[in-house]
Structure formats: structure tokens, C-alpha cells
Amino acid sequence: MESTRKQLIELLNKKDGHISGQELSNQLNISRTAIWKHMNELKKDGYDIEAVQRKGYKILSSPDKMSENTLQWGLDTEWIGHQLFHYDQVESTQEIVHQMAKQGKPHGTVVIADEQVKGKGRMARKWDSPKGKGIWMSILLRPNLPPFKAPQLTLLAATVLAEMISERSALVPQIKWPNDLLIHHKKVSGILTEMQAEQDAIQYIVVGIGMNVNQNGEEIPEDIRHKASSLKNEAGEEWNIQETVQHILRLFERTYDQYESDGFEAIKANWEKHGYRIGEEVTISTMKRTWKATLVGIEPDGALCVRDRDGNHEKLYSAEIHWGEGGYHA
Ligand code: BTN
């Protein structure tokens, strides 16, 4: 059952103008005094609510502190974030979404936390997720795709993050294969995609997005300071985390819908547009050999396509790439 308060905010969001106390009371089936009390509670929580005689109520702005209500306020999406859960502190949003997926929560469910105490990175690394400093969020997807196409969704998520940064700032984001977001050669964001699948069908996918937003330089752990940063640190100004999350969710939905209708081509082109050192020569090492090759682009299965000095093309699924000047190893 949705709480009355949540329904109240939804009704206020639906209307462009004011909505009368009577209409709210009819729709929610509670007294006008109860509506008035709820409005006072919302104001105490930091909502700026205008009350105009004979017209009714209107939300002018929502508070800075993240909550389910404030994140959903004005989100205006078709399917992403309709079920959205915000926590002050969790071990990992990733684990919560796995549980929710097993309980049958729908495509587009979002879990976000102010802080993670056991944030997970790729390859069993830990992901530092300090309180109120970044976006620690996992999205549940139930795509109608064969499992071999799952990597496309990770690449899609990386393009969404790059596009969001480009739209909100003058920063130039780059995507380092497979899916790290770099600004000025330093990692500001990473994506962890986990899949539950059968032989030929995906049951669900959890896309975990970690984005360093408002850490100051000295708040980045010392051992990774040479290779990691935050949006604030690179842009020189504080970011509004709530609005940034909403921007990501809107873009994610739009990009995903396009992908469903038009396929992977546009995602691939966009990824390559932002691709770190695409068209440049790097040194690559695998268990068997080390060689120089030019990064050509990405393949629909998420592999990195490279071309050696003799013109031979090769697909790489895992390799150590020596990114050279300013970069660091994959
Ligand atoms: C990487 O190693 O680059 C991926 C990092 C992914 C971190 C995010 S934060 C939200 C979600 N919950 C986690 O525990 N991890 C992912």
C-alpha cells in the first residue's frame, strides 16, 4: 500500500497548476484537515508549498535531502524509478536489488543510498561510497534479450553517464573500456552489471552505478588519488546529487527505449564517440603475449576490437591494457 503522503505528492506533481484541498481530500479519501496536516509535515521536511485561496496547493520546490519522494518529484518517467527505494545507509544497493528481483519487483525498480558500507566494484574490488558524496544506485532491468546481449546494457549505461555529464557541464567525459567514466584521465564513475540468466533467457539484470560527485580532492582515498576523482573535483563546483540522479534516470529510460526500438547501432556509435583512446595505439598484454595495437571500437558482444601493426583485427574480452600517459591499467 502506498502511503498517503506519497499519493499526495503524486497528485501535486500531476497538476501543472494548483490543486484544491477539496479535490485532494476526494481523491485520497481523507478529510481536508488531514490534508492540511500533511502539507505542514511536507513543509517541515523542506518542501516549498504555495497555498493560494480558492485555488489550492502547489509544490514550488522539493528539499535537497534525498528521499523517495524528492527523487520521484518531477521525475516524469514512464517506467524507471516508479518503484524507487532510498536508504540512508546500506551494505550495497546491488544486494538489495538482487533480493527485490527475486521477490518479483518490476523492470525499472531503483535502489539508491546516501552511503554504502560494503560497496562492490568489478572483479571483487571494494567501492568506496562515502555518505552524501556520490551516487550509489542500482537499477533492476528485466530485458527481453538473450544472455549474450547483456553486455550491451553495460555499454548503454556508460553512454548515459557520459551524456549526462556533457549535458550538465563543460567537462568532456570519456569511457574507458569496458565501462569506466574518466574525466581528465581520472576515473569518476564505474558500472557493475550482474545478471541472473538461464540458457537462453535473461531473468534479470542489476546495473549498479557508482559515481563520485562531491568529494573534495583530499576526500578521495590517498592510494587511488592519482587515478580517481570526482565531478566536483574536476568541474570546480558542487553538483546537486538529486537532480543529477533524476537526469541519469530520464536519460537511461530514453536511451533504453531507443535501444529496444532501434537496436545497438546508435549505442555503439555513441560509446565510440566518447571512447577513451579510440583510434590510438596502446600496448596490450594477455597471458600469452604483449603487443602494440590500435583501439578500433567495441563489438556488439562488449568485446574491444583492436588492430595490430600488420592490420589484423582481434576481439578482446579480457586483457591488460597499458593506457600510457595519465591513464592506468585496466
Ligand atoms: C567498478 O568497479 O568500476 C564498478 C563500481 C560499481 C559501484 C556501484 S555503487 C552502486 C552499486 N552497489 C554496489 O555495491 N556497487 C555498485
Side-chain angles (χ1 to χ4, degrees):
M1 243 311 251
E2 278 190 318
S3 71
T4 307
R5 184 171 162 160
K6 200 165 175 182
Q7 290 175 0
L8 177 60
I9 290 170
E10 264 168 24
L11 285 172
L12 287 160
N13 280 340
K14 264 192 204 145
K15 277 251 181 169
D16 278 342
H18 295 75
I19 179 164
S20 72
Q22 190 57 55
E23 192 175 340
L24 289 169
S25 126
N26 293 345
Q27 298 243 14
L28 297 174
N29 213 6
I30 54 176
S31 69
R32 291 190 60 170
T33 317
I35 296 281
W36 182 78
K37 280 187 186 153
H38 276 291
M39 290 297 177
N40 283 341
E41 288 300 312
L42 288 177
K43 282 183 193 163
K44 265 195 236 154
D45 278 357
Y47 282 88
D48 186 5
I49 296 176
E50 185 181 58
V52 179
Q53 276 225 325
R54 278 192 286 277
K55 280 169 91 181
Y57 300 98
K58 180 183 164 123
I59 295 183
L60 298 178
S61 70
S62 60
D64 281 346
K65 164 96 185 74
M66 276 208 281
S67 70
E68 285 157 21
N69 289 330
T70 55
L71 281 162
Q72 283 179 325
W73 188 71
L75 183 59
D76 206 18
T77 49
E78 293 288 326
W79 53 267
I80 206 165
H82 277 215
Q83 295 247 11
L84 186 147
F85 302 88
H86 168 266
Y87 300 93
D88 292 337
Q89 189 196 65
V90 296
E91 290 201 337
S92 159
T93 55
Q94 209 71 357
E95 301 315 322
I96 298 178
V97 172
H98 277 290
Q99 284 162 19
M100 289 182 170
K102 287 177 186 129
Q103 290 158 4
K105 284 271 186 275
H107 178 68
T109 298
V110 173
V111 170
I112 184 162
D114 289 338
E115 179 181 14
Q116 295 186 120
V117 291
K118 270 197 194 164
K120 286 201 301 183
R122 288 175 54 243
M123 311 208 266
R125 295 195 190 108
K126 79 175 181 49
W127 182 264
D128 199 43
S129 321
K131 188 174 172 61
K133 295 289 174 180
I135 296 171
W136 327 123
M137 161 167 88
S138 300
I139 304 170
L140 172 63
L141 299 175
R142 296 187 181 277
N144 194 4
L145 290 175
F148 74 89
K149 287 198 171 171
Q152 296 184 350
L153 296 176
T154 311
L155 300 168
L156 180 154
T159 65
V160 166
L161 300 181
E163 223 163 306
M164 179 282 289
I165 294 171
S166 303
E167 286 180 10
R168 293 189 84 76
S169 73
L171 297 173
V172 179
Q174 291 192 294
I175 310 172
K176 186 169 75 91
W177 183 76
N179 45 39
D180 287 350
L181 257 282
L182 307 186
I183 309 270
H184 304 134
H185 304 282
K186 290 188 174 184
K187 178 163 170 173
V188 295
S189 180
I191 299 164
L192 173 68
T193 306
E194 295 174 315
M195 168 170 72
Q196 193 70 34
E198 285 154 11
Q199 192 83 30
D200 51 3
I202 296 175
Q203 279 172 358
Y204 69 84
I205 287 187
V206 183
V207 178
I209 295 173
M211 186 169 259
N212 296 335
V213 182
N214 282 332
Q215 288 99 327
N216 293 317
E218 69 280 4
E219 287 170 318
I220 309 282
E222 208 175 338
D223 54 326
I224 56 168
R225 219 173 275 166
H226 61 290
K227 59 181 187 184
S229 189
S230 72
L231 295 178
K232 176 180 176 184
N233 205 27
E234 297 307 315
E237 57 189 10
E238 191 101 358
W239 287 50
N240 181 315
I241 292 186
Q242 189 131 236
E243 286 171 9
T244 307
V245 170
Q246 291 185 323
H247 196 150
I248 293 173
L249 294 178
R250 284 190 206 105
L251 267 182
F252 198 106
E253 178 173 292
R254 206 175 70 202
T255 314
Y256 188 95
D257 288 348
Q258 266 166 9
Y259 165 73
E260 273 201 320
S261 58
D262 306 340
F264 185 62
E265 265 317 294
I267 309 292
K268 173 177 156 65
N270 217 353
W271 194 102
E272 287 170 353
K273 186 178 93 189
H274 293 286
Y276 184 59
R277 307 209 48 198
I278 296 293
E280 292 180 34
E281 191 178 75
V282 295
T283 304
I284 300 171
S285 304
T286 60
M287 302 280 268
K288 292 187 194 138
R289 61 191 177 123
T290 295
W291 76 106
K292 286 196 187 301
T294 301
L295 303 182
V296 177
I298 45 156
E299 298 287 326
D301 60 358
L304 181 68
C305 179
V306 301
R307 186 182 60 241
D308 71 13
R309 285 180 167 180
D310 296 328
N312 303 313
H313 284 79
E314 201 169 326
K315 281 168 75 171
L316 298 178
Y317 290 91
S318 74
E320 190 178 358
I321 300 177
H322 306 275
W323 294 98
E325 201 48 22
Y328 61 101
H329 295 183

